[in-house]
Structures are given as C-alpha cells and as structure tokens.
Amino acid sequence: MQPFGVDINLQTGEMLEPDRIVVRRASDMQGYYADADALEQLIRRGDPIHYEVFEKPVPETPGNLMYCISKLQPGLIGDEFYMTKGHYHRVRHTAELYLCLRGQGLMLMKTEEGECVAEAMARGRLVYVPPSWAHRSVNTGTEPLVSFCAYPAEAGHNYGDIEEQGFPKRVLRVQGEPQLV
Amino acid sequence: MQPFGVDINLQTGEMLEPDRIVVRRASDMQGYYADADALEQLIRRGDPIHYEVFEKPVPETPGNLMYCISKLQPGLIGDEFYMTKGHYHRVRHTAELYLCLRGQGLMLMKTEEGECVAEAMARGRLVYVPPSWAHRSVNTGTEPLVSFCAYPAEAGHNYGDIEEQGFPKRVLRVQGEPQLV
C-alpha cells in the first residue's frame, strides 16, 4: 500500500475530492425520533439530507485506520435535535476519535450495560469514544456539526442494535436550551 | 473506560492540558544529521527544543487509539531541514494519520525494502502513513510544523532501526528551496 494525502478545509470541515459519500436523508431516520409525525412532515416537505459521511476508504483490515468527515445538519424533529443513527462497532472493542471542526453539539454514548453519557462537541474539541461504547452525534446548534473521525479500519458498524434499542436518553429543546432527558 | 474530551486549538495546534509531553532537544538528535558539527554548535548554543509531542495517553491495548500533537521547530542543521527522529511502529503492520494544522513540510516515509517517498504537509493536509512504513516529519517552513496524529494504541515505537539505518533520502535546502537528495 502506498502513502497518500487528502485535503481537508479546517475552517469548514469540507473534504476535497472524497471517494465515497454516505448520504442519510430524513426518510432514513424513520423510527429514530420520538415525534414520528414531525419526521413524516419533513419527509413530505422534500426529504432533505440529514447527515453525510465523506470518506476516502482504505482496506478494512487490522492495522489500517479508517477516517472520515461527518456532517450533520441542524434542526429539530418536534422538540428533538437532529442526530445521527448511532452505532456500535461490529468489532465491538474498538475506539473512535471525533475531532470537531465546526458547530455545536453533543456526542451521546452508551454501553450495553445501560450507562449513558454525553460529551460536549465544539470546534477544537476531541471526543474519545472508548472501545465498546455506542455513539451518536447530536447537533444542538444552528450550523452543521462537522467532525473529523478516525477508527480502526476493521471496526465496521453495527446499526441494528441502536435501531432496535435506541439510547436511554434523548436530547430535547427545553425552554430554548438542549437538555438530556 | 469512560469517554472524555480534549481541547485542541485548531489555529495554533496547541493541546490544552496535555498529560504527557515528550521533549526532544538538539542533543537528542546526535547521529541523525549529515552535518554533525553544525548540530554540535547548536547544542553548545543552548541545546534548544527540537520537537515536542503532546499526549493524553490511553491504554496501549488493541482497540484503543493513541493520539497526539506533534510540534517540530523550524530551522537548518547545515543545509538540512529540522526533522524528527522517525520511527517504525513496534507492531510493524499499523498505520498512522497525520492531520497537519500549521506550518509547511514533508512527511518522509520508507519501507524495509528501500522504497522512499515524501508527501507534502501543510495546514489541512491529511497524510496517510500505511502499515509498515517508517515515517519522519521534516519542517521546510519558517514556523513550527504542527500535526494532529492518531494510531492504533498498541502500535508502540521502534526508533532503533532508523537510528542505525537512517532514511535513503535527506531534505536539504538547495538554492533556497527544499530538495530531496
């Protein structure tokens, strides 16, 4: 394997010339938000992009490192802030680094044992998601929440567990402020 | 293990409140530069800091990710640009990510088979050091070369091979410009 370089705009978080873009629209988020009607209305109003992941993939083999730019739009579904689906890693005992480049939000994390914590995300904040913690970004601001992410390339993703079980807590707007409930 | 956050100034590359700082002075670089006399003069003129690595270490076990800020001062030893010692990983088949936050330079990389390539480093440039490639930063600019780095936590470092064998190429100032020779 040969070395290579990738350009990232550190002001906007834009990755120049990604090889793969994963796009999640409002319609991909059915079942995730408390207010299903509000989500349906958004889907009918044009089904806008919810979040995107920009990648230049490397082989998904041990020793390599996968990296990406995660970009989550701002907004509310009812009183609930926009969020990503969230996932465990398929190889469960693998960590992930999120270096926030833009926006305001929370990294919501949980264990299989039911522990649930949130770390603040803001430009320059590096959040360490330890091995075996499921994680989901939540945008509590007014601009896109953009992070540079890195994780062991063999880690993979397991979305099914979160789809079925969700997280123990949601991030709602209460009296104008984000609150974990 | 519990999640945590770390603050990094994305303009200067400064890590706030590191838990560990590795400091390499000019005197730690004996044997690395072509012009040993020029290095000795620098050591006698106060033995200044050559480069620093700022860390908040995590357990060096598979599944975790080590990360750090690398800060290499600008300058010349004779005609040779300041550089880090360079290393393979002790667990050889492990990659490393360098996201350059400040400065100008080159990432010099080599394999055991004698291949040697350089990738440009500048603010916003992510360099992918593939598994099994030794790597060394070279500062060809006039300000510190600062990068955010990430690698598998079990990778470790092997400096001995580089100390004995060096790299096939050096980065010299030739007619005012950096040149690989």
Side-chain angles (χ1 to χ4, degrees), chain A residues 88-145:
Chain A
Y88 287 104
H89 289 152
R90 193 178 59 240
V91 178
R92 193 63 59 105
H93 192 76
T94 48
E96 185 156 351
L97 298 171
Y98 280 77
L99 176 59
C100 184
L101 302 177
R102 182 182 172 201
Q104 294 281 340
L106 292 170
M107 180 63 70
L108 197 59
M109 293 166 275
K110 72 159 190 172
T111 64
E112 284 182 73
E113 292 73 33
E115 203 173 354
C116 184
V117 302
E119 280 282 340
M121 297 184 81
R123 179 170 169 78
R125 184 77 173 171
L126 174 75
V127 174
Y128 193 90
V129 181
S132 304
W133 286 74
H135 42 287
R136 152 183 290 172
S137 307
V138 183
N139 188 343
T140 61
T142 55
E143 59 177 336
L145 179 66

Side-chain angles (χ1 to χ4, degrees), chain B residues 148-163:
Chain B
F148 172 77
C149 318
Y151 54 97
E154 77 277 20
H157 297 87
N158 175 335
Y159 291 101
D161 285 10
I162 304 298
E163 198 172 353

